[in-house]
Amino acid sequence: MNKTRSKYLVHAVILRTGLDSAEFDDAKAGHPLERRLNRLERITASYRGRIDGRTRNTLQMTFDTANAALLSACEMQHRCAVLPQVAKQRLALRIGIHQGLIRQRARDGADNTQDIAMRLAVADDGIVVSELVVQSLNPELRELTRPFDDIPLDIAVHKVDWRREIPSAAFGGESFWPANMASNPVGPYLVLHHGLKTIEATQENPLVTIGRDPTSDLVVVDFFVSRNHCLIERQAKYIVLTDTSTNGTSVLPDTGEEFLVKNNFVVLKGKGLLFFGRPFKGERRGAVRFEAY
């Protein structure tokens, strides 16, 4: 008996529209296409997705859950929307998502998941998903979708209102640092868990920015969170959090008492929770889990 499991394929394409789109030169324009694709790749990694393919203006990604696929797609749209456009040009990001099956044997037949995902990527600055994806979403994320009839496909499809605020409950539970990744680290390391999203501070990318600014590495949309709330840096021997906010950052270690960091810095050690702009007060929702050694 062949075992199968679901996969969620995301197809993203960046299209050029404008008066001189046929003569567009990405290098002369300052690499706006490459900049957007690089940003999509980083978002994919933070939601533990896999890159299946990349061309000059497309990216194919696979995720293990519908929630991760949709949340990453929403963040891709938010993060690209704030990038500057090119004179006489407009770069539109189109994203399609479809559910398929990962088969244990290659001879089980052709898989048309990628083709359908590509055909769903039709809306400028939009996200279109198949009914199978919608059925696999948690209830909070399902509220972002509505039926979409503008595609000549034999399957039901939905459009996603990615501009709506996503409630923190939609991110589900925490994911934890895999034990095999924490063994024998080179120098200090940091991992942050925010719902389905995971961010690491590495030798190549030692700085993590947090705030309401859409260009932050970790975007936290909350009234009490500053635009550029804080940053966490992997230094030579320590992991240092520097608060630059109005309301401060509360740190709740797993072993120890909660303390507030405001316009100051602190060394993070061990495991715990971070609350941006508010104290703990017994409510963990919206917190960021940290592990620093």
Side-chain angles (χ1 to χ4, degrees), residues 11 19-20 24 30 36 40 84 110 119 138 154 173 197 213-214 217 230 237 271:
H11 180 86
L19 299 176
D20 303 322
F24 183 80
R36 283 163 170 78
L40 300 192
R119 295 172 67 184
N138 64 33
D154 295 331
K197 187 172 185 178
D213 192 321
D217 296 310
C230 69
K237 295 183 179 181
K271 302 178 182 181

Side-chain angles (χ1 to χ4, degrees), residues 211-268:
R212 287 189 294 105
D213 192 321
T215 63
S216 300
D217 296 310
L218 179 58
V219 180
V220 181
V221 181
D222 188 285
F223 176 79
F224 298 102
V225 177
S226 297
R227 185 172 181 84
N228 299 294
H229 196 92
C230 69
L231 57 88
I232 305 177
E233 186 177 8
R234 181 186 189 272
Q235 298 184 358
K237 295 183 179 181
Y238 305 104
I239 300 295
V240 179
L241 181 150
T242 302
D243 180 86
T244 56
S245 70
T246 301
N247 296 316
T249 300
S250 292
V251 182
L252 177 63
D254 282 358
T255 57
E257 296 183 356
E258 178 183 12
F259 59 91
L260 177 68
V261 184
K262 187 173 180 181
N263 294 316
N264 207 335
F265 68 91
V266 66
V267 174
L268 294 180

Side-chain angles (χ1 to χ4, degrees), residues 117-235:
M118 291 175 61
R119 295 172 67 184
L120 291 173
V122 296
D124 286 355
D125 300 323
I127 304 170
V128 180
V129 304
S130 64
E131 174 70 22
L132 289 173
V133 175
V134 174
Q135 292 176 355
S136 300
L137 294 170
N138 64 33
E140 290 81 9
L141 289 178
R142 207 174 299 149
E143 289 293 323
L144 301 179
T145 68
R146 64 180 185 275
F148 187 59
D149 301 323
D150 294 352
I151 305 179
L153 285 176
D154 295 331
I155 60 174
V157 300
H158 296 249
K159 195 170 184 180
V160 179
D161 185 1
W162 57 268
R163 293 178 176 85
R164 281 179 55 185
E165 182 177 350
I166 300 176
S168 58
F171 289 87
E174 299 171 351
S175 58
F176 295 95
W177 178 267
N180 63 328
M181 294 176 66
S183 59
N184 301 319
V186 179
Y189 73 83
L190 167 78
V191 61
L192 300 175
H193 304 290
H194 186 51
L196 297 177
K197 187 172 185 178
T198 300
I199 297 178
E200 302 170 45
T202 64
Q203 287 180 308
E204 293 76 19
N205 298 290
L207 191 66
V208 177
T209 57
I210 301 171
R212 287 189 294 105
D213 192 321
T215 63
S216 300
D217 296 310
L218 179 58
V219 180
V220 181
V221 181
D222 188 285
F223 176 79
F224 298 102
V225 177
S226 297
R227 185 172 181 84
N228 299 294
H229 196 92
C230 69
L231 57 88
I232 305 177
E233 186 177 8
R234 181 186 189 272
Q235 298 184 358

